Amino acid sequence: MNKMILYKEWLKTRWPLLGMAAVMVAFTFYSLLNLAKVVEFRGADILWSTLVFKETVLIEQLKYLPALAGAVLSVAQFLPEMTRKRLKLTLHLPYPQGKMIALMALYGMAAVTLLSLLQALVIGIVLGRWIVSELVVRVLVTAAVWYLAGWATYLWMAAICLEPTWRMRIVLLLILAGLVWLLFLSGIPEAYNDFLPWLVLYVLCGAVLLYHGVARFKEGLQD
């Protein structure tokens, strides 16, 4: 049954997932190609000095991609459950409802995480050719909050899609907007290191809201 559920989620999201993978690959290689041109004409020392003396991590143009991926995958996965009246059928399958929602969410989280890890791996390998490992770690640690934004948009948009009333959807959307604003508030490298664990907990609250929306749907609350 688990394989059937995962296959169903794959069928719903395969094209948005592959599309976001293509977008992330294209933008990532474009950004790294620009850095390669800088290194070719000015040497790798310019990257080192930029990282050390300026408040930059060289790949800022990629910062919104994980958040976009999370939102796209979440909408592709959960919006049809509400607009096409699939949720009622899904909840009547011979499978525990709580495990069903958890498995659907874990599938999406795994997809977002995979995209993020692959991007981070490529960035780490390419930058490692030009700068020391300590500076590569600095770049990736700074980027960790961008990948956390991918989790945030996925979980909270899923909760918004499963919420049956527009009033609560608007409330959740405003909370998500505030959370995303907070995650991108500072552009200073490693600015979020001290309270990143608290942000992770806040983001994961979206998982609880998935069950809240389903419970309200089962109670018959619907616009």
Side-chain angles (χ1 to χ4, degrees), residues 33-47 130:
L33 182 61
N34 285 337
L35 291 179
K37 291 180 179 179
V38 171
V39 171
E40 181 180 357
F41 289 106
R42 303 183 63 182
D45 289 347
I46 187 64
L47 301 185
W130 301 321

Side-chain angles (χ1 to χ4, degrees), residues 101 121 171 194 209:
I101 298 301
L121 180 62
V171 171
D194 291 339
L209 292 172

